[in-house]
Structure formats: structure tokens, C-alpha cells
Amino acid sequence: MVILAALCWGLSGGIGGILMADGWDALVVSFYRGAIGLLFVLVWLALRPRGSGLSNPRLWFWSAIAGLGVAGNFAFYFVSIAEGSVAVAATLMYCAPVFVFLVSFALRLERPTLFKWIAIVMVMIGVVLLTRILETGAGGVTPLGVAAGLLSGLSYALFIFGFKYAAPHGSPQSILVIAFAALVCILIWTGDAGQAVAVLGAPTWPLFVILGVLGAGLSFIFYIVGLKHTAPAVAAIVAMVEPVTASLFGVVVLGESLAALQILGMGLILITVTALSVHSRAG
């Protein structure tokens, strides 16, 4: 289930890249991904309504925070793809656990250790190599693309915190319903309303449906159900399927390319973040 979820998320990055190459705005693509996801979790909630916790104000508050996080994650991720490449955007987003650790250090929720600080430094070196920041005139990734990719990871970290604090107050499906409803409200207000309406009559509408089904509808359900039957350390490792799948999609389908140092940076980030997650959850 967790592998399927990661595979769906990886493919959704490539599908979003195709849609934006056709001229669709990143926020509109993100809106439809979340809106279709909302339909799926509403059905899930209708089928499993027990213990929803919808009468609890704390559930609504933390779920709305999670919704703000997932809205930022989707939007910044697609902006990063539009300004760079699917491979770079997916790998930068995979830095999310680093942001979780930094926030946890600041809030004294997690004890900093030498291993964790070394891992964070290694990830930063990987980001420098992947994005080619130090190379003058290096094409392919704009500063906005780099910033958006890192912000997508930071937003995902916000989603993780929101979901974690909402979980004691209600069911996963009710949390996701509120989160995706918040996402829809945020993105319909900030996105291009004209383009959003135009999607309904566009020949590419089936791609939007596939994006929503894979990128939000089935994937979040797969992931949450899968986590109940999977050790956290194993889940951390198989989550690497997402950036690897997205990168392969970008190279094979979209014709993107990566320099040798970028591949080294990508490998450094993926291996270090996975080791960091496994070490933390095992401890």
C-alpha cells in the first residue's frame, strides 16, 4: 500500500509536468489534484463515519493547518516543476523530514544529536549539487524553482505536524476531508478562475482526472491504510519510490536530463533522508 502510494505520487509529478507544458497554471493543476482528492476522501468518510470527531474544534483547527500544508505542498511542487524539472522538484520535496527535524529541534520535541546534524549537512550538500547553485550560468533550474521545491518540502512538514496533532481527535478520513476542503478554498481563491473553468471543456481534462485520482484520491488512502500494517522504518525506505519514479518519468517521458553531479546530489539526498528517517523512528 505504501509503495503504491509513493508510486502514485511520483507519477502525479510527471502528469503535472505534462499539463503545465501545455500551458496550464501550476495553481490550477494543484486545485484539481486536491478537489478530486476531496471527492475520494468524502466517499471514504461516508463509508466509515464512526469515530469521525467532526464535533471536536481541535480536529478542525489542526486539520485546517494540515490543509494549509498540503495546499502549499501541491502548489510549490508544481511551481518547482514548471521552473526546473520533475526530478529536481521531487528530490527537493523529499527534504521534508529535514524541516520536520529542524522545527522539532526548535520546539524541543526532538533531541538534536551529532548523527542528525551530520545528516542535515549532507542533505544541504546534496541540494547544492542537485540544483547547481554554485555553477555560474547553469541552466535548467531557476532560483524560483529551487525556492519552490524547498518550500514544497517545508509545506509537507507542516502537513505532517497538522495531521499528527489532529489524529488524536478524529479519524484519518475526517482529517483529510477537512484538509482537502481547506486546500480547495485556498487554491480556488489564489488560482486563475478562468483557467479553472476552462479545464472542464478542455481536451486534456482526462489528465486532470488521472492526476487527482493518483495524486490525491487513491494515494493518500493507500498511504494511511498501509501505515497501519507497516513498520515506520520500512515506510521511510519505500517512500523513496516517489522521487525515483518522478525522476524516471521526467527523464524517460518528458526528455529531461541530469548532469553527473546532479545525480550524485540526488543520491546523497535520498540516501541521507531515508537513513535519517529510519534512525529516528527506530530510536
Side-chain angles (χ1 to χ4, degrees), residues 101-194:
F101 274 105
L102 292 173
V103 173
S104 296
F105 293 165
L107 297 178
R108 299 179 184 273
L109 300 173
E110 187 96 23
R111 187 171 61 86
T113 64
L114 180 61
F115 175 82
K116 291 170 186 175
W117 281 118
I118 291 173
I120 289 170
V121 171
M122 295 289 282
V123 169
M124 291 171 65
I125 294 171
V127 169
V128 170
L129 293 174
L130 177 68
T131 57
R132 303 167 74 182
I133 289 173
L134 300 181
E135 296 180 37
T136 55
V141 186
T142 66
L144 177 58
V146 175
L150 292 172
L151 283 170
S152 71
L154 182 60
S155 298
Y156 186 63
L158 181 63
F159 168 75
I160 291 170
F161 276 106
F163 195 95
K164 176 183 177 181
Y165 285 109
H169 307 296
S171 64
Q173 51 268 41
S174 61
I175 297 169
L176 288 178
V177 164
I178 297 168
F180 279 128
L183 175 152
V184 167
C185 293
I186 292 166
L187 293 182
I188 202 169
W189 177 62
T190 55
D192 186 329

Side-chain angles (χ1 to χ4, degrees), residues 260-282:
L261 281 178
Q262 287 182 290
I263 295 172
L264 175 63
M266 178 184 294
L268 197 60
I269 291 170
L270 297 182
I271 293 169
T272 306
V273 169
T274 303
L276 186 63
S277 300
V278 171
H279 173 81
S280 172
R281 290 169 177 180

Side-chain angles (χ1 to χ4, degrees), residues 2-178:
V2 175
I3 290 173
L4 275 175
L7 185 64
C8 288
W9 284 327
L11 291 174
S12 69
I15 294 168
I18 293 172
L19 289 169
M20 288 181 294
D22 282 344
W24 296 103
D25 181 67
L27 295 182
V28 172
V29 175
S30 303
F31 166 77
Y32 273 96
R33 181 180 177 184
I36 294 170
L38 175 60
L39 297 178
F40 272 77
V41 293
L42 277 169
V43 171
W44 188 20
L45 180 61
L47 294 174
R48 302 286 297 273
R50 294 183 63 182
S52 68
L54 289 174
S55 60
N56 191 322
R58 290 186 179 182
L59 176 83
W60 284 84
F61 175 78
W62 288 112
S63 298
I65 296 296
L68 179 62
V70 77
N73 174 246
F74 285 5
F76 287 125
Y77 180 42
F78 286 135
V79 169
S80 183
I81 291 174
E83 294 289 327
S85 69
V86 175
V88 172
T91 310
L92 289 175
M93 183 175 66
Y94 196 68
C95 295
V98 172
F99 292 113
V100 173
F101 274 105
L102 292 173
V103 173
S104 296
F105 293 165
L107 297 178
R108 299 179 184 273
L109 300 173
E110 187 96 23
R111 187 171 61 86
T113 64
L114 180 61
F115 175 82
K116 291 170 186 175
W117 281 118
I118 291 173
I120 289 170
V121 171
M122 295 289 282
V123 169
M124 291 171 65
I125 294 171
V127 169
V128 170
L129 293 174
L130 177 68
T131 57
R132 303 167 74 182
I133 289 173
L134 300 181
E135 296 180 37
T136 55
V141 186
T142 66
L144 177 58
V146 175
L150 292 172
L151 283 170
S152 71
L154 182 60
S155 298
Y156 186 63
L158 181 63
F159 168 75
I160 291 170
F161 276 106
F163 195 95
K164 176 183 177 181
Y165 285 109
H169 307 296
S171 64
Q173 51 268 41
S174 61
I175 297 169
L176 288 178
V177 164
I178 297 168

